[in-house]
Amino acid sequence: MRIGIDVGGTHTDAVILDGDEIISATKALTSSDVVTGVTNALDTLLNGGGLKPAQIKTVMIGTTQFTNAIVQRRELSPTGVIRIGLPSGKGMPPMIDWPEDMANAVNASVYMIHGGYLYDGFPVAELREDEINEVISDLQQKKIENIAIASAFAPMNDTPERLVAEKIRKAIPTAKITRSSQFGRLGLMERENAAIMNATLLPFAGKVVDAFLGALRNRDLTCPAYISQNDGTLMSSDFVRNFPALTFSSGPTNSLRGAYKLTGLEEAIVVDIGGTTSDIGVLQNGFPRESNIVVDIGGVRTNFRMPDILALGLGGGSLVSSDGQVIGPQSVGHKLVTEGLVFGGQQLTASDIIVASGDTEMGDKSKVSHLSDATIKAAKQTMRTMLDRSIDMMKPGGKDMPVILVGGGSVLVTDGLNAAAKLHRPKNADVANAIGAAIAQVGAESERMVSYRATPRDEALAQITQAATERAIFAGADPATIRAVDIEETAVPYMDEGATRVRVKVIGELAL
Amino acid sequence: MSGRLTIIDESHLDDLALGSVFLATGGGGDPYVPKLITAEALKTYGPVPLLAPEDVEDDAFIVTVGSVGAPTVSLELLPSVEDAARTLDAFEKYTGRKIDAVASFEIGGGNSVIPICAAAAKGIPVIDGDGMGRALPEAQMMSYPIGGVKPTPALAYDYAGNQATFETDTTETYERHIRAFSMAAGGMVTAAEHPMTGRQLKDTVIPGTVSFSVKLGAMLREKRGQADTLLQPLKALFETSIYGECKLLYTGKVIDKTTRIIGGYDIGEATIQDFNASADPLLINIKNEYLLARQGERVLASVPDLITIVDFETGTPINGERLRFGQRVAIFATGCPEFYRTERALKVVEPRCFGFDIDYIPLEAL
């Protein structure tokens, strides 16, 4: 049996799965120390299922703690940032485009030194011993131990980053170092940003992982614990101590993966209706379709893999015009329980309409008896049209697809949807996130620029797949189950005929 | 053109860059990094005068400056703030002549801002205009050589300060030589080329495009939202400009995109299917830029008119290298400046120059 836990900003959800069967589920409030909330959820689960800790083989945790820390600029530690790339990029130091409050929160010491490689392996410049020594003595003097290192074309040749990291580690044995090449993709500034955000979160990551493991220990759960990352795959909890940034945006991913688990549908649209928005995503091969647009987190550009989500301004708390023709994007949000008409409030919300139409029960129905049939009918039609239109926009290739409804606001959908080939309302949809965490797999990717003239295509793909596979094994995957799920090749204009950017993603079952 | 700017400062850069991606018709490279170095230059040296072509003295010495290479490389090999100004310094030393003002190769993409970065550091004006009014894949497609301006003397400068000078007769030959140097230098160099007199500039430049790009970017920022709501504001802006006609050709999802390299260019196609899957799909032919839009046998728009793909939900224009399967998009087309509809220009930019066996028919006649 396995436990899945989703530690959100407001709620901590948890489930126990026995194979495919949901044994027990709970929703509790997230505590400020994290430990209490998780411990409470574990108590409810274990007692509810009448289970002993020894029966649990793994615990999987999804969390927005690190995203929230960045967005709220808290729990960030002073960081040393070393860019290897001079003489290129002079006057373009790291963090040049960061929001001021975020840069201040990180309180970085920035260094630029010579080194790095061109796309064809020719050195930009040689590393200089004296420059490296100067950086190290300044770090020592400032007592900085969280360090991010980024070098030009590091995804293809990470030797400069490794050499500098080794020298620092020798001089400062307790240093926590993040190398940009550990974050894959081409794009020096975005990769460097990822490394800096990761480095600045490292001390907090240690605390959070300790809190998770502490809560598990409190309840005698000695099994391995994993944490889910933004592409729906897992990291070992020790891995998260070093890579907290890889958890950014794991929330929507787990909701999509949970919807997949609850229905078994590999190709589907998932509509997660909350209080303010309907988040619409797409499952492809049982995984979220990823976004192509540069993603910014807390105002900082990054290269993270994120699910492609369309946020439609329609939720349970969305405001409805008196004629029912206009709904949202304004919403009373979580204040629905005080401001909605059926709860004695003054605002006509989407939930009030559904109570008035008799499709669901909540609050006091008599408070909406004055609404005309025409208004109710129009409002229901408006909601349906909004959802149909957005779902159509998300469908790949316009083909008919089933739609899975999850989230507390899914009561808004009463008579089906034109856009859905079939509509699914799985049981336990309110803890889809925790279920998504519980079934996460282990994945990894590798990306390089190659010249197919110098290295034949088959050989190049094999090398890159191997690099991704090694990463997956390091992250806890069972080597026998690892397979490539995505190979992306991008030709590079203006370069020699075979220059291509290749990205390979592999996934495997967790080694249990 | 109305609403012309006379000065460029940091506050204009975001809008200029956003407008330039729309005008880049898929090519030109992401202006994000060039915009950052230009912002640094403007911070250090102050705003740059923006000079209308008609205000340039006939005997002034004008040089075009910009980046030549692969946009993908600039993701890693970051430019330096001083690269563009150093290139001009070296060019002045090489030719023994003082540059009075600089102009842009192409308003589409990163080269919309590089001349501003150079002009700031040199303390000289930048011309409100460019050599394409959009982006196009080859140097000989610029209005300057079409109008008879020689490509050289020219000078290129790489990340480490290595230099090459060029003396070639035709822009076609120059294009081959500078591309070879760019590849040897890691895939990206800064070049000063097509030197000309103020008189030659007036005869060949596509005027007012820097101001226009700022206005276009400001509009896209203010009206950010679903693409179909942008049609009226876009029409209002384009139809009173040198571009003329503006149409919303199609909205839908990218259901296929393939590109491969032929002769050093990104060549391929994208297929867009409408959201209801009720109409014939739209096919876009790509050679670095979006060149041809067809629905079945019917041509909806073709080069040298502009074809632009934007994100359906935000109206943000999407570069060819970022266009991918599953994206929800809208396709707009606009006319091109009259210069590109003349016989001598069409000789080098009509659809046949890109291997499409069709006649150019202006957008408004389609």
Side-chain angles (χ1 to χ4, degrees), chain A residues 83 87-92 96-97 118-119 123-124 151-155 186-189 191 284 289 292 294 301 308 310 389 392-398 488 491-497 499 501 503, chain B residues 30 32-33 36-37 40 69-73 75-82 137 159-160 179 183 185-187 226 228 253 255 260-261 263-264 266 275-277 288 311-313 322 324-328:
Chain A
R83 158 98 60 79
S88 76
K90 263 185 292 210
M92 281 275 288
I96 189 170
D97 57 342
L118 299 175
Y119 89 99
V124 172
S151 167
F153 283 109
L186 288 182
L188 175 58
M189 296 183 69
R191 198 175 65 241
Q284 286 177 329
R289 182 174 76 197
N292 293 309
V294 175
R301 277 165 71 100
D308 183 11
L310 171 67
R389 192 176 154 73
D392 274 338
M393 284 169 54
M394 291 295 281
K395 277 188 205 162
E488 184 186 300
V492 185
Y494 297 111
M495 307 291 285
D496 82 62
E497 310 278 310
R501 195 166 70 190
R503 184 159 68 99
Chain B
D30 188 342
Y32 185 74
V33 171
L36 288 180
I37 59 167
E40 286 305 300
T72 313
V73 166
L75 292 175
E76 286 289 325
L77 190 66
L78 298 181
S80 295
V81 174
E82 66 261 39
Y159 66 92
R179 188 160 299 194
M183 278 169 61
Q226 208 160 294
D228 41 9
K253 265 182 302 245
I255 57 167
R260 60 201 172 97
I261 294 179
D266 236 358
F275 294 126
N276 306 321
N288 290 7
D311 175 47
F312 183 79
E313 279 137 45
R322 293 197 198 279
R324 272 181 54 173
F325 178 85
Q327 280 173 335
R328 300 169 296 284

Side-chain angles (χ1 to χ4, degrees), chain A residues 424-441:
Chain A
H424 297 260
R425 297 169 183 272
K427 240 180 90 185
N428 290 313
D430 57 331
V431 289
N433 283 27
I435 294 167
I439 59 156
Q441 291 179 301

Side-chain angles (χ1 to χ4, degrees), chain A residues 255-256 259-260 262-273 278-283 312 384 386-396 399-407 410 413 415-427 429:
Chain A
S255 143
L256 278 149
Y260 158 67
L262 288 167
T263 59
L265 296 169
E266 291 203 334
E267 312 281 329
I269 305 276
V270 178
V271 183
D272 187 342
I273 309 182
S278 297
D279 294 340
I280 303 170
V282 181
L283 282 170
L312 168 70
R384 191 171 165 147
M386 288 169 79
L387 283 166
D388 275 335
R389 192 176 154 73
S390 301
I391 291 167
D392 274 338
M393 284 169 54
M394 291 295 281
K395 277 188 205 162
K399 62 180 173 190
D400 274 351
M401 284 182 99
V403 171
I404 308 167
L405 284 177
V406 298
S410 53
V413 182
D415 324 309
L417 292 164
N418 293 336
K422 188 164 188 290
L423 193 60
H424 297 260
R425 297 169 183 272
K427 240 180 90 185

